[in-house]
Amino acid sequence: MNAITLIIFFGVIGITLYVTYLAAKRTSTASEFYTAGGSLTGWQNGLAIAGDYLSAASFLGIAGAISLNGFDGFYYSVGWLVAYLVVLFLIAEPLRNLGKYTMADMIGARFSATKVRGAAALNTITIVIFYMIAQLVGAGALIKLLFGLEYWMAVILVGIMMSIYVLFGGMGATSWVQIIKAGLLMAGTVVISFLVLLKFDFSMVAMFEKVSTATAHGESFLLSGTVYKNPLELISVLIALLLGTAGLPHILMRFFTVKDAKTARSSVIYAVWIIGIFYVLTIFLGFGAAAFVGTDAILAENAAGNMAAPMLAGILGGNALESFVAAVAFATILAVVAGLVLSGASALAHDLYGQIIKKGKVTEKQQVAAARWAALGVAVFSILLALGSEKLNVAFLVSIAFCIAASANVPTLLFTIYWKRFNTTGAVASMLTGLIVAVVLVILGPNVINPVEGKAFFVGEPLFPWTNPAIISVPAGFLAAIIGSLLSSKSEGEKSYAEVKFQAETGYRGLEDTGTDGGYNPHAH
């Protein structure tokens, strides 16, 4: 540890804490806590979405996966980038027009039954926990590299920091921390990529020739098949990556921070450009680490390869660049976990407590207080789980969260918007089936049960052969929605599909809409 490391690291943390202090002064109502009062512009929300999306899995996990596994690691970059097209074309505008604070609000615009909202809240909390563990594992490895602290101390430190952001600043602080972090992350990634190319005299051919001999994989490093030898397993992973984004609660919440659907659409376009540039640059992070850091050094620092990018920065730019990259990575983790805690707290406080237990009869003060207590609970529970997950690759952990999102949420969201015959029974069946099938198959898979000691929680032969079960769990979610809807004629509290479709397309809510542009005005409530 040296002065440069301390100055850069605590400088970044100081900036984010100051932003939280400013935001805390403006966070008193439920709308401000959950959605920043719908005050973000398109470019601001686009940067914030990018900040939310470019998590520890993107920066640390993908760089590590590419450095160790070559082309197979790059599938994460491709899948997560293309996934935003699904959000742009199918989800963003209807979600903004139908929802208020959470994904469950959007589904509740058509199905008012409490069991539908309860199932949606359960899915949100489960996805948040998986995603949170990934971020905390990455944070633990990062602080261990940077300061030499024990893993458990680093995880607790991150937990305290993220709790401060959410408890005091709400969505306003979280959004601006995301914006700052997205800018810093892009700057760091561009600098590292430039230095990698500089080492190869800006020749892509020279880079490919180098990495083809730099690892034990040889030339196969540049080909698919180093990890996903079974084509069906690869397809399963890609299904999760492509569809999962459209069901991630902390990403979907971001569309409620803008004033209308038009702004929501423009924010996605901004986000796609930023995310696209970043994911292309992950090639240089991964290949650069393979060429200049080396597989043995990467594995020695972290068994899952999560520290490949900061180690590469240290070799190419010295201690100053390594410290900057590590500080940015830490800010990345803090920003993402703050968004995750907020979405988990929203599900607990707004959906379960406010709408189900209190049946909507809750004051602004009660909602904000409940949200803060819920945020604290989500943070503590996630920390406890992360303490036992140190050896898991963060990109894998996030891919599991994507699998659950794609299986449990996406069928319900799409059918809510686009299928007239869809009903309450189909919605509940879809969400619970997708969730249960995905979680059970993950538990039975090789990342929980593995014959190689240290690779998973338990030693033994896995009962399910693939790391990601999306190829089974996603169709199961869609099938359950169809069968449940067709076999049941129940329509508990369901609105007319024509009414919901009109609202999804226009944002008009009749008497409750007080906006001037046809969009939903959160201050109307």
Side-chain angles (χ1 to χ4, degrees):
M1 190 189 308
N2 55 56
I4 294 177
T5 300
L6 290 173
I7 291 170
I8 294 176
F9 185 81
F10 287 107
V12 172
I13 300 304
I15 291 170
T16 57
L17 286 175
Y18 181 66
V19 167
T20 302
Y21 167 74
L22 294 177
K25 294 181 176 181
R26 303 175 57 186
T27 303
S28 57
T29 68
S31 174
E32 288 164 348
F33 187 87
Y34 289 129
T35 64
S39 61
L40 296 187
T41 65
W43 72 265
Q44 289 170 346
N45 198 43
L47 273 170
I49 289 172
D52 236 337
Y53 203 56
L54 300 178
S55 64
S58 296
F59 188 53
L60 301 178
I62 291 178
I66 294 175
S67 69
L68 297 178
N69 305 313
F71 188 85
D72 275 11
F74 188 59
Y75 278 125
Y76 287 105
S77 293
V78 176
W80 283 335
L81 172 58
V82 177
Y84 247 103
L85 298 179
V86 178
V87 178
L88 175 62
F89 291 119
L90 299 177
I91 297 293
E93 288 189 55
L95 179 78
R96 178 62 193 82
N97 286 332
L98 292 172
K100 182 181 179 183
Y101 295 148
T102 66
M103 180 191 73
D105 283 337
M106 180 265 197
I107 300 171
R110 183 171 175 187
F111 309 109
S112 60
T114 56
K115 56 189 176 184
V116 175
R117 186 178 289 273
L122 175 63
N123 287 351
T124 293
I125 294 165
T126 305
I127 293 165
V128 163
I129 294 299
F130 269 96
Y131 217 117
M132 281 276 289
I133 294 172
Q135 309 311 310
L136 293 173
V137 168
L142 187 66
I143 298 303
K144 184 178 178 182
L145 171 69
L146 199 60
F147 295 118
L149 291 179
E150 290 296 323
Y151 172 80
W152 67 270
M153 294 176 64
V155 169
I156 292 174
L157 174 64
V158 176
I160 293 172
M161 291 291 297
M162 71 186 181
S163 299
I164 291 172
Y165 291 150
V166 176
L167 292 176
F168 296 103
M171 181 58 86
T174 301
S175 297
W176 279 103
V177 169
Q178 298 284 21
I179 291 169
I180 294 168
K181 161 249 167 154
L184 292 173
L185 183 61
M186 285 301 297
T189 304
V190 168
V191 169
I192 297 174
S193 300
F194 175 81
L195 293 175
V196 169
L197 283 171
L198 184 63
K199 285 281 188 179
F200 293 109
D201 296 323
F202 297 96
S203 170
M204 297 286 284
V205 174
M207 182 177 71
F208 288 138
E209 288 177 349
K210 173 67 176 178
V211 296
S212 68
T213 59
T215 72
H217 295 298
E219 291 187 0
S220 63
F221 186 80
L222 300 174
L223 305 174
S224 178
T226 57
V227 176
Y228 302 111
K229 303 183 186 303
N230 187 321
L232 289 178
E233 183 176 10
L234 174 59
I235 292 171
S236 188
V237 170
L238 291 177
I239 289 173
L241 299 181
L242 290 173
L243 294 180
T245 300
L248 290 176
H250 69 294
I251 297 295
L252 298 180
M253 271 190 76
R254 297 234 59 93
F255 297 116
F256 303 129
T257 64
V258 295
K259 63 180 180 178
D260 54 31
K262 180 181 178 181
T263 312
R265 183 173 65 249
S266 69
S267 64
V268 176
I269 295 171
Y270 280 112
V272 167
W273 275 103
I274 298 166
I275 292 166
I277 293 170
F278 174 85
Y279 280 139
V280 168
L281 296 180
T282 58
I283 298 173
F284 304 108
L285 299 182
F287 282 5
F292 303 121
V293 181
T295 302
D296 292 340
I298 293 170
L299 292 175
E301 180 60 42
N302 182 268
N306 294 325
M307 291 299 100
M311 293 174 75
L312 174 63
I315 288 175
L316 297 179
N319 189 65
L321 184 58
E322 181 179 18
S323 299
F324 175 77
V325 168
V328 170
F330 188 68
T332 294
I333 292 166
L334 285 176
V336 172
V337 294
L340 288 165
V341 168
L342 192 57
S343 61
S346 300
L348 288 170
H350 175 66
D351 295 325
L352 295 181
Y353 172 74
Q355 299 299 315
I356 295 178
I357 296 175
K358 289 288 188 177
K359 303 185 185 304
K361 299 176 181 178
V362 58
T363 65
E364 291 280 344
K365 186 176 180 180
Q366 288 175 324
Q367 278 207 68
V368 175
R372 285 178 169 144
W373 279 110
L376 194 59
V378 170
V380 170
F381 186 62
S382 299
I383 289 169
L384 292 175
L385 291 178
L387 291 175
S389 307
E390 181 179 4
K391 295 181 179 179
L392 299 181
N393 181 278
V394 292
F396 154 72
L397 286 167
V398 171
S399 74
I400 297 303
F402 272 67
C403 176
I404 297 172
S407 308
N409 287 346
V410 171
T412 303
L413 289 170
L414 292 178
F415 284 148
T416 295
I417 302 167
Y418 299 108
W419 188 26
K420 183 177 182 179
R421 182 68 176 81
F422 195 43
N423 60 24
T424 301
T425 303
V428 174
S430 174
M431 287 188 282
L432 293 183
T433 300
L435 174 65
I436 292 169
V437 173
V439 171
V440 169
L441 292 182
V442 167
I443 292 173
L444 298 178
N447 280 286
V448 175
I449 308 171
N450 200 294
V452 181
E453 189 171 354
K455 283 279 188 178
F457 292 103
F458 304 104
V459 178
E461 287 296 327
L463 300 178
F464 182 76
W466 302 334
T467 58
N468 196 305
I471 196 171
I472 295 175
S473 59
V474 171
F478 278 100
L479 193 61
I482 295 170
I483 293 174
S485 297
L486 295 179
L487 294 182
S488 172
S489 59
K490 292 182 179 180
S491 56
E492 302 173 32
E494 294 177 12
K495 291 184 181 179
S496 159
Y497 175 71
E499 179 184 348
V500 173
K501 186 69 174 174
F502 179 75
Q503 184 178 322
E505 295 290 343
T506 65
Y508 180 69
R509 301 184 179 217
L511 293 177
E512 74 172 76
D513 187 347
T514 61
T516 58
D517 56 3
Y520 173 59
N521 181 356
H523 299 292
H525 297 262

